[in-house]
Amino acid sequence: MTNNRKKTREELKKLQEDLIRKQTDLAAFLAEKEELEAALETELEQELREEARRNFKAFFVQAWDFIEPGKPYMDNWHIDAICEHLEAIQFGQIQNLIIAVPPRTSKSSLCSLAFPCWSWLQDPSERFITVAAVEKLVIRDAVRSRRLIQSPWYQGFKPPFELQKDVNQKSRYENTASGYRIAVSVGASAIGEGFSVLICLPFEEEIDTSLGSLRIGEIVEKEIKCKVKTLNH
């Protein structure tokens, strides 16, 4: 004789109920797993944001995908040095800083783009004037800086300010905490505008002006009235 036999209706019903119970348990497990992973991801994001809020280097690295989309980040010791000194500027440990590094080593991205954004997370009342020999360059950095502030990533910090809607131009924008950023070229007038941070790019470079060869930093600091004749990159 064989042990095989047709299952009764009651046995089939019991198997179906067991299958439904197991499917329900699996769905509950997967939902709990997804919720736990989301919580861990949120906690990790919060930890990364807090680190970036405290540490300018961490801020710069995390913001890189918004600063240079599609371009891989290349770390180097000079970035650590620049970030450390810019932090010292922010917290009043030093008053003046000259940065001399070769072109295409992220100096503008660090100093003129990312630093004002990070600085406003520390103190949104900071007032920046950024100066360059060529207007399009200083405007470029101001615009990219504003885009970073408006990015979902930056807004995740819940910054203690908003950009003023009535003063939100490429060359000048203000925030609701009395901070502002003004972008001007060498020779442009910014008379009457106070500032807490002055950024000259590049400070030490000499350019040919209507008054002869002058350093960009000297023109800005002494408010020398002149016209830029040539710029040797």
Side-chain angles (χ1 to χ4, degrees):
M1 295 181 60
T2 177
N3 290 329
N4 291 335
R5 63 182 179 82
K6 293 183 177 178
K7 295 184 183 296
T8 65
R9 181 174 296 179
E10 289 75 14
E11 288 174 323
L12 289 173
K13 184 177 180 181
K14 183 176 183 304
L15 288 173
Q16 186 179 29
E17 290 174 349
D18 289 342
L19 178 60
I20 292 173
R21 185 176 65 255
K22 289 178 180 179
Q23 289 176 331
T24 302
D25 292 343
L26 177 60
F29 169 76
L30 293 176
E32 185 177 352
K33 178 174 176 289
E34 185 176 346
E35 183 179 349
L36 178 60
E37 288 176 344
L40 290 173
E41 184 176 354
T42 300
E43 184 177 351
L44 177 60
E45 288 179 353
Q46 290 176 346
E47 290 177 358
L48 289 173
R49 287 190 193 282
E50 287 307 310
E51 182 185 10
R53 188 188 295 272
R54 296 190 304 268
N55 183 283
F56 178 52
K57 169 69 181 297
F59 177 90
F60 182 69
V61 173
Q62 292 181 39
W64 181 257
D65 287 341
F66 298 93
I67 295 173
E68 293 287 354
K71 184 178 179 180
Y73 172 73
M74 302 292 289
D75 200 14
N76 195 45
W77 66 266
H78 79 281
I79 294 179
D80 293 291
I82 293 174
C83 289
E84 182 179 350
H85 283 77
L86 288 174
E87 282 189 6
I89 287 285
Q90 176 63 41
F91 299 124
Q93 297 167 342
I94 58 176
Q95 298 298 318
N96 301 294
L97 174 64
I98 296 176
I99 300 173
V101 293
R104 314 305 300 170
T105 52
S106 297
K107 178 176 64 178
S108 295
S109 295
L110 283 161
C111 302
S112 187
L113 198 167
F115 178 65
C117 301
W118 180 78
S119 175
W120 275 358
L121 291 177
Q122 317 304 315
D123 182 0
S125 68
E126 294 281 19
R127 298 178 173 184
F128 287 87
I129 293 182
T130 54
V131 185
V134 181
E135 183 180 28
K136 68 178 183 180
L137 296 181
V138 74
I139 294 295
R140 175 204 65 186
D141 290 342
V143 170
R144 294 172 69 197
S145 189
R146 183 177 62 181
R147 286 175 183 165
L148 179 58
I149 290 172
Q150 294 173 327
S151 71
W153 175 78
Y154 188 91
Q155 291 301 311
F157 287 97
K158 295 181 174 54
F161 67 90
E162 294 180 0
L163 293 179
Q164 295 280 19
K165 295 180 180 179
D166 57 344
V167 187
N168 193 2
Q169 303 170 347
K170 290 182 178 180
S171 60
R172 178 181 183 132
Y173 44 87
E174 302 181 5
N175 65 39
T176 52
S178 298
Y180 57 69
R181 174 172 182 158
I182 300 173
V184 296
S185 61
V186 172
S189 175
I191 296 175
E193 301 288 358
F195 61 87
S196 54
V197 182
L198 174 65
I199 300 175
C200 302
L201 295 171
F203 188 94
E204 285 292 319
E205 182 169 341
E206 290 191 356
I207 56 176
D208 188 16
T209 75
S210 56
L211 299 178
S213 180
L214 296 172
R215 291 185 308 148
I216 292 177
E218 182 181 8
I219 296 171
V220 174
E221 284 189 336
K222 296 181 180 179
E223 297 185 0
I224 299 174
K225 302 301 180 184
C226 63
K227 292 183 178 180
V228 177
K229 296 174 67 176
T230 61
L231 172 63
N232 182 21
H233 285 288

